[in-house]
């Protein structure tokens, strides 16, 4: 059974609020959607491959590339010394070399690039290098990094009230350690860049990236040419999930270097193994916690310490840790709290953005703590969660976050109550208790978890966007904006916004490839801001055109500009109805401007990175999910039987797309917490670098009964048509799967012992937790 519904009412006026298919849906399913590797290759195109480090930390004593140069089809080999400009691709701190220079810091770090006639020749040649190393001590574990004070950035802290005093005077205190693993982005389209040299030292790079402007900057600096000489284009990605925000820079810059020096087109396409060996993943987090609570489960004080696996360089680890700190409260008011976060430097891949960007790692900690508290008190975890919720909007004092922002639109009480009823949570809880009492091997578990997710970049200046809208004489409309399409439907939503403003059908609007020569200085398509920022920018451009057309119509037909309406492909002015195309033609001959640029900057944001306080988010997106699982306590195998999700998308721009995003995020988040395990061996080599050893969820892992609905709500913030973001927040919904598994394991005993289950909850981890409960219960 699959039930997906929405409660929004589509606009009767135009295209916003309607469930339109993805603008490339037909192209996707017919195999005619062009990705970077589908671009017809220019005559003389060469292919590149990277030569990778075999050591986790070492000095390169001798780099012998003679065999590489002599290999069949090889045209050239380049190293760090060949960059005309900067050999750096770090997005914030310049501590991340494009090609290693003298020292390698993880197994898989690129040292050189080989260019050959074919992709296969380049890959084979890259394996022929003879490298002598002087092995240096390597740190492979985040806790070891903490003990050795090995950090990529200074530790950060945030406190409110007096957590230590609250803990000292509490009658109930829980203290412990926990950890949650990282996650490979596993986009279907791997990292790729196709660099094509142009006249006057210009460079065109078609690249699978979420951040074309960042790629432009990295390439310009690497080649020592101005940004205006670099054009980066991205029509679409086959998935990104954060893995193509900063980390596509290495591939783009390396391809551009080869093309620049050889003056020939060069394509650098990563095979899956190389992609996973080179690129960073979601940050693994290790936690220490000490929490005071009362007999009802109300949290009185909390001390949290988080250490992430940053990898060998800073990349985006600082902002990830910041968001984790800001989301450690999730939906709960913490009156007295002390939070410390560290970005551990390890000799592994430099971890980076991944859907949620630290938010899931912060929020799951408080959920784990509440799950522990509930079991110790013999209460249903849902009741303890409700006890700790932020106050309703009129409850002053209990609606201010630990970083100082007011939770102005708290609907979590109503949303959870609705889901509790619609999912029959209480009745199913009783049925599961009865089932477990009579089933010694198969155990069922149930959990309801909520979420609150802040929308905006924590770095305030990134919250801006631009767009161009062109109206042609046949009434068709072309849009270009700074966001990138990675399958999430951003272009569809932007097209809907423009169609709505101009009163034309969606079929008349087309969105073109993201291009740095059209919209300059763009922010990454990240932080769930794609539609909020670019939709507003496109709306601004379309409204300017609409205003000009309205004034022109009044000049012809009379009436008041404020009363001119645009709908159903027509313009109504002073009781005269004119086809949009006809008025556009008249306007052209009257020399009225039929194109416009638009800009948007999110208002009311402020953030002090030193004190870690302010109002960094435009608004919050809420949601909750109920998951029911069954666990085989003899093997550790499990199955998700049913999932109910209720998500707050505000006034959804496109309910169908939003529901699809919720479903996808749920399964992806479930994979992070259950099947997807990253393993490094004692030498620092990632051993799970292919689908044979790294297991993402398959269709068989989806529940047979999957019910997704959108919560009826209107955004209090002036977002695009009062909608809410839907990219990252739903990834927190499958917390319910992990805690349902934990609930099932606890039933092996009397339900009062807390299973020592770490994430991901693989079959082996589940079996270890089951054994621990059995041993505890038998004593």
């Amino acid at each position: 059974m699959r039930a997906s519904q929405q409660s929004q009412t589509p606009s009767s006026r135009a295209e916003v609020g309607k469930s339109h298919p993805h603008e490339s849906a037909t192209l996707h399913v017919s195999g005619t959607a062009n990705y970077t590797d589908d671009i017809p290759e220019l005559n003389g195109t060469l292919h590149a491959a990277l030569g990778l480090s075999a050591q986790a930390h070492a000095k390169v004593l001798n780099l012998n590339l003679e065999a590489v140069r002599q290999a069949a089809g090889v045209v050239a080999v380049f190293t760090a010394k060949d960059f005309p400009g900067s050999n750096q691709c770090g997005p914030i701190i310049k501590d991340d070399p494009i090609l290693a220079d003298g020292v390698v810091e993880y197994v898989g770090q690129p040292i050189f690039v080989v260019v050959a006639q074919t992709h296969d020749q380049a890959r084979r040649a890259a394996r022929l290098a003879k490298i002598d190393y002087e092995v240096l001590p390597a740190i492979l574990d985040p806790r070891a990094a903490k003990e050795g004070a090995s950090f990529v950035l200074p530790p950060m802290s945030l406190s409110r009230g007096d957590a230590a005093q609250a803990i000292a005077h509490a009658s109930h205190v829980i203290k412990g350690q926990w950890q949650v693993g990282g996650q490979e982005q596993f986009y279907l389209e791997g990292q790729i860049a196709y660099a094509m040299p142009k006249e006057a030292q210009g460079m065109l790079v078609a690249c699978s990236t979420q951040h074309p402007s960042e790629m432009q900057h990295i390439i310009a600096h690497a080649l020592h040419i101005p940004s205006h000489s670099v054009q980066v284009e991205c029509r679409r990605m086959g998935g990104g999930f954060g893995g193509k925000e900063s980390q596509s820079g290495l591939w783009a810059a390396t391809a551009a270097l080869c093309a620049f020096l050889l003056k020939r087109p060069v394509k650098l396409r990563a095979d899956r193994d190389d992609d996973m060996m080179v690129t960073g993943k979601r940050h693994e987090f290790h936690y220490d916690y000490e929490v005071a609570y009362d007999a009802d489960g109300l949290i009185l004080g909390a001390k949290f310490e988080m250490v992430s696996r940053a990898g060998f360089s800073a990349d985006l680890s600082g902002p990830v840790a910041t968001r984790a700190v800001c989301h450690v409260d999730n939906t709960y008011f913490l009156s007295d709290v002390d939070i410390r976060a560290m970005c551990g430097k390890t000799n592994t891949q430099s971890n980076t953005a991944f859907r949620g960007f630290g938010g899931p790692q912060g929020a799951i900690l408080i959920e784990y703590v509440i799950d522990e508290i509930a079991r110790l008190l013999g209460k249903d975890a849902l009741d303890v969660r409700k006890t700790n919720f932020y106050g309703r909007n009129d409850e002053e004092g209990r609606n201010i976050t630990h970083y100082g922002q007011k939770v102005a639109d708290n609907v979590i009480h109503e949303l959870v109550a609705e889901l509790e009823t619609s999912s029959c949570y209480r009745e199913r809880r009783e049925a599961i208790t009865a089932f477990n009492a009579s089933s010694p091997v198969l155990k069922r578990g149930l959990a309801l978890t909520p979420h609150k997710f802040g929308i905006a970049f924590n770095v305030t200046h990134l919250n801006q966007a631009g767009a161009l809208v062109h109206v042609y004489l046949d009434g068709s409309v072309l849009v270009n904006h700074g966001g990138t399409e990675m399958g999430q439907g951003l272009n569809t939503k932007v097209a809907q916004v423009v169609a709505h403003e101009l009163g034309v059908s969606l079929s008349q609007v087309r969105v073109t490839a993201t291009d740095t020569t059209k919209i300059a200085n763009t922010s990454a398509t990240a932080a769930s801001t794609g539609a909020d920022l670019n939709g507003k920018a496109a709306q601004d451009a379309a409204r300017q055109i609409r205003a000009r057309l309205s004034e022109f119509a009044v000049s012809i037909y009379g009436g008041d500009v404020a009363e001119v309406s645009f709908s159903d492909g027509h313009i109504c002015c002073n009781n005269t109805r004119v086809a949009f195309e006809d008025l556009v033609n008249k306007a052209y001959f009257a020399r009225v401007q039929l194109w416009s640029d638009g800009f948007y900057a999110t208002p009311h944001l402020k953030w002090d990175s030193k004190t870690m306080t302010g109002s960094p988010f435009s608004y919050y997106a809420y949601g909750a999910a109920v998951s029911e699982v069954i666990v085989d306590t003899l093997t550790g195998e499990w199955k998700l039987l049913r999932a109910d999700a209720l998500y707050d998308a505000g006034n959804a721009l496109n309910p169908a797309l939003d529901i699809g995003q919720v479903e996808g995020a749920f399964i992806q988040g479930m994979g992070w917490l259950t099947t997807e395990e990253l393993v490094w061996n004692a030498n620092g080599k990632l051993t799970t670098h292919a689908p044979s050893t790294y297991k993402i969820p398959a269709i068989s892992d989806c529940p047979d009964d999957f019910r997704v609905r959108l919560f009826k709500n209107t955004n209090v913030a002036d977002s695009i048509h009062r909608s809410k973001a839907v990219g990252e927040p739903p990834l927190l919904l499958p917390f319910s799967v992990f805690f349902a598994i934990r609930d099932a394991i606890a039933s092996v005993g009397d339900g009062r012992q807390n299973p020592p289950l770490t994430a991901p909850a693989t079959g082996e981890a589940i079996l270890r937790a089951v054994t621990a409960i059995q041993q505890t219960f038998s004593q």
Side-chain angles (χ1 to χ4, degrees):
M1 175 182 175
R2 178 181 177 277
S4 297
Q5 305 168 6
Q6 69 280 343
S7 52
Q8 274 70 18
T9 301
S11 167
S12 60
R13 174 184 154 211
E15 301 291 354
V16 165
K18 295 181 180 179
S19 289
H20 290 282
H22 191 287
E23 49 94 18
S24 295
T26 302
L27 302 179
H28 289 154
V29 299
S30 63
T32 55
N34 285 328
Y35 296 86
T36 301
D37 202 30
D38 297 317
I39 297 172
E41 293 179 2
L42 299 176
N43 185 40
T45 294
L46 300 173
H47 298 265
L50 299 173
L52 310 179
S53 167
Q55 297 293 331
H57 192 200
K59 290 182 180 178
V60 177
L61 300 179
N62 183 49
L63 179 58
N64 187 341
L65 300 175
E66 192 57 34
V68 180
R69 292 189 176 94
Q70 296 302 319
V74 170
V75 175
V77 181
F78 301 115
T79 63
K81 65 180 178 60
D82 291 304
F83 281 96
S86 172
N87 177 34
Q88 285 290 335
C89 60
I92 301 174
I93 297 175
K94 302 309 176 186
D95 62 348
D96 198 341
I98 300 168
L99 297 177
D101 189 6
V103 176
V104 293
E105 297 193 77
Y106 71 96
V107 176
Q109 183 172 10
I111 302 174
F112 64 91
V113 57
V114 54
V115 186
Q117 298 291 345
T118 69
H119 174 75
D120 187 61
Q121 287 174 335
R123 287 200 75 213
R124 290 179 182 275
R127 270 53 175 179
L128 301 178
K130 296 179 181 179
I131 306 175
D132 296 327
Y133 300 96
E134 178 188 328
V135 177
L136 301 173
I139 297 175
L140 303 176
D141 179 76
R143 288 198 179 274
K146 175 191 169 185
E147 292 169 5
S150 174
F151 305 120
V152 297
L153 294 165
M156 57 186 71
S157 62
L158 171 62
S159 63
R160 174 168 69 176
D162 193 336
Q165 185 177 15
I167 292 170
H169 292 87
S171 56
H172 300 275
V173 176
I174 186 172
K175 184 176 183 179
Q177 294 184 332
W178 192 53
Q179 70 183 65
V180 62
Q183 185 181 21
E184 165 64 33
Q185 288 87 356
F186 218 96
Y187 23 68
L188 291 183
E189 176 202 31
Q191 297 280 1
I192 184 171
Y194 185 25
M196 294 156 274
K198 297 295 183 179
E199 63 181 20
Q201 291 193 322
M203 186 63 61
L204 167 62
V205 180
C207 181
S208 184
T209 181
Q210 296 172 237
H211 202 344
S213 286
E214 178 71 12
M215 300 307 102
Q216 180 189 35
H217 298 157
I218 292 172
I219 293 167
H221 292 152
L223 303 184
H224 197 57
I225 59 177
S227 291
H228 68 54
S229 295
V230 180
Q231 178 183 0
V232 177
E233 182 179 285
C234 179
R235 170 59 184 94
R236 61 171 61 85
M237 288 166 275
F241 308 116
K244 295 175 181 176
E245 181 174 344
S246 64
Q247 302 241 331
S248 48
L250 184 151
W251 311 88
T254 304
L257 170 72
C258 298
F260 188 78
L261 295 179
L262 295 173
K263 294 180 172 51
R264 291 177 63 178
V266 175
K267 180 184 290 186
L268 175 57
R269 183 185 74 236
D271 281 55
R272 181 65 62 181
D273 297 76
D274 288 348
D275 193 317
M276 293 183 71
M277 289 294 291
V278 173
T279 61
K281 296 91 175 60
R282 183 189 298 280
H283 290 70
E284 169 186 335
F285 268 61
H286 292 249
Y287 311 99
D288 290 272
Y289 60 88
E290 187 174 12
V291 179
Y293 58 98
D294 66 15
D296 294 323
L298 180 69
I299 294 175
L300 306 174
K303 294 176 70 176
F304 298 129
E305 188 173 270
M306 303 182 284
V307 183
S308 68
R309 179 191 291 273
F312 83 96
S313 70
D315 196 83
L316 296 170
S317 294
V320 166
T322 299
R323 187 168 278 267
V325 168
C326 289
H327 283 75
V328 77
D329 59 331
N330 197 19
T331 56
Y332 312 112
F333 176 73
L334 301 175
S335 60
D336 297 82
V337 63
D338 186 333
I339 308 166
R340 301 179 188 276
M342 289 153 278
C343 303
K345 180 173 181 176
T346 57
N347 292 110
T348 52
Q349 290 82 355
S350 186
N351 284 331
T352 189
F354 195 137
R355 196 176 196 173
F357 202 77
Q361 294 98 311
I364 199 169
L365 173 58
I366 192 71
E367 292 298 337
Y368 183 84
V369 168
I370 285 181
D371 194 60
E372 294 259 296
I373 291 171
R375 203 165 281 113
L376 291 172
L377 292 175
K379 294 179 176 291
D380 191 308
L382 175 57
D383 295 325
V384 178
R385 290 186 166 98
K386 289 181 175 180
T387 297
N388 285 283
F389 277 165
Y390 274 101
R392 287 181 165 84
N393 298 330
D394 58 350
E395 294 183 50
E396 292 296 332
R398 282 188 59 85
N399 60 356
I400 304 296
T401 66
H402 54 294
Y403 47 88
Q405 180 161 349
K406 183 176 181 180
V407 183
D409 60 335
N410 188 13
V411 296
I412 199 63
H413 297 267
E414 295 80 4
L415 190 150
V416 167
E418 181 178 325
L419 181 63
E420 179 183 352
T421 300
S422 65
S423 66
C424 302
Y425 177 85
R426 301 293 177 178
E427 297 86 344
R428 290 164 65 192
R429 170 62 71 195
E430 292 181 4
I432 287 171
T433 300
F435 174 88
N436 289 338
S438 61
S439 178
V441 175
L442 298 179
K443 298 291 185 179
R444 293 195 178 198
L446 186 71
L448 188 158
T449 58
H451 77 70
K452 170 182 68 68
F453 196 92
I455 305 300
F457 288 98
N458 269 81
V459 181
T460 303
H461 75 265
L462 296 178
N463 295 283
Q464 59 175 296
L468 288 172
V469 175
H470 297 251
V471 175
Y472 295 99
L473 297 184
D474 62 355
S476 64
V477 181
L478 191 70
V479 182
N480 189 269
H481 60 85
T484 53
E485 175 64 52
M486 60 195 91
Q488 83 279 39
L490 173 60
N491 285 349
T492 309
K493 289 185 174 181
V494 171
Q496 286 179 263
V497 168
V498 172
H500 179 97
E501 291 303 321
L502 298 179
V504 299
S505 68
L506 185 59
S507 62
Q508 287 179 253
V509 182
R510 178 170 175 257
V511 180
T512 58
T514 311
D515 187 332
T516 56
T517 63
K518 295 179 180 177
I519 306 296
N521 310 317
T522 60
S523 296
T525 305
S528 302
T529 62
D532 282 0
L533 294 177
N534 296 286
K536 276 285 195 178
Q539 182 185 57
D540 178 45
R543 281 182 172 175
Q544 293 178 55
I545 297 172
R546 176 177 166 161
R548 294 187 200 115
L549 289 175
S550 295
E551 291 174 1
F552 176 67
V554 168
S555 71
I556 298 176
Y557 306 111
D560 188 343
V561 168
E563 295 179 357
V564 177
S565 64
F566 291 65
S567 63
D568 299 322
H570 289 78
I571 298 171
C572 292
C573 178
N574 198 25
N575 296 319
T576 302
R577 193 165 187 261
V578 183
F580 180 78
E581 178 183 347
D582 293 342
L583 186 68
V584 164
N585 273 270
K586 292 179 185 293
Y588 168 73
F589 285 107
R591 295 185 295 179
V592 174
Q593 183 179 334
L594 295 173
W595 61 271
S596 188
D597 63 304
F599 181 78
Y600 178 72
T602 310
H604 313 306
L605 301 179
K606 57 182 180 179
W607 178 249
D608 186 330
S609 60
K610 294 180 180 179
T611 62
M612 299 194 74
T613 57
S615 296
F617 304 121
S618 177
Y619 59 88
Y620 296 101
Y622 301 88
V626 177
S627 292
E628 181 178 345
V629 303
I630 189 165
V631 174
D632 186 331
T633 59
L634 295 181
T635 65
E637 294 176 284
W638 66 279
K639 174 69 177 175
L640 177 59
L641 301 175
R642 173 178 166 182
D644 297 66
L646 184 59
Y647 183 75
D648 169 25
N651 288 336
L653 293 174
N654 188 319
L657 289 184
D658 287 352
I659 286 172
Q661 284 292 292
V662 174
E663 292 171 340
F666 188 99
I667 299 303
Q668 187 173 53
M670 182 181 77
W672 167 49
L673 295 173
T674 58
T675 64
E676 299 183 43
E677 185 176 27
L678 294 166
V679 178
W680 287 265
N681 66 18
N683 296 319
K685 181 179 180 180
L686 179 67
T687 58
T688 51
H689 56 79
S692 57
T693 52
Y694 186 81
K695 298 299 181 182
I696 65 172
I699 188 66
S700 58
D701 296 304
C702 299
D704 293 335
D705 193 347
F706 198 8
R707 311 182 188 196
V708 176
R709 294 185 299 116
L710 300 182
F711 181 67
K712 187 177 181 180
N713 189 30
T714 297
N715 197 348
V716 296
D718 184 22
S719 60
I720 185 69
H721 289 285
R722 301 285 176 171
S723 63
K724 288 192 176 185
V726 74
E728 294 174 298
L731 192 127
L732 283 67
L733 294 172
F735 286 3
S736 57
V737 176
F738 178 84
F739 291 108
I741 293 172
R742 202 165 186 244
D743 181 56
I745 296 170
S747 71
V748 172
D750 61 1
R752 297 296 295 271
Q753 283 80 33
N754 278 305
L757 183 65
T758 56
T762 60
E764 296 88 343
I766 290 172
L767 201 55
R768 287 193 295 268
V770 167
T771 302
I773 292 296
Q774 290 171 334
Q775 291 174 346
T776 301
F777 191 62
S778 63
Q779 292 175 354

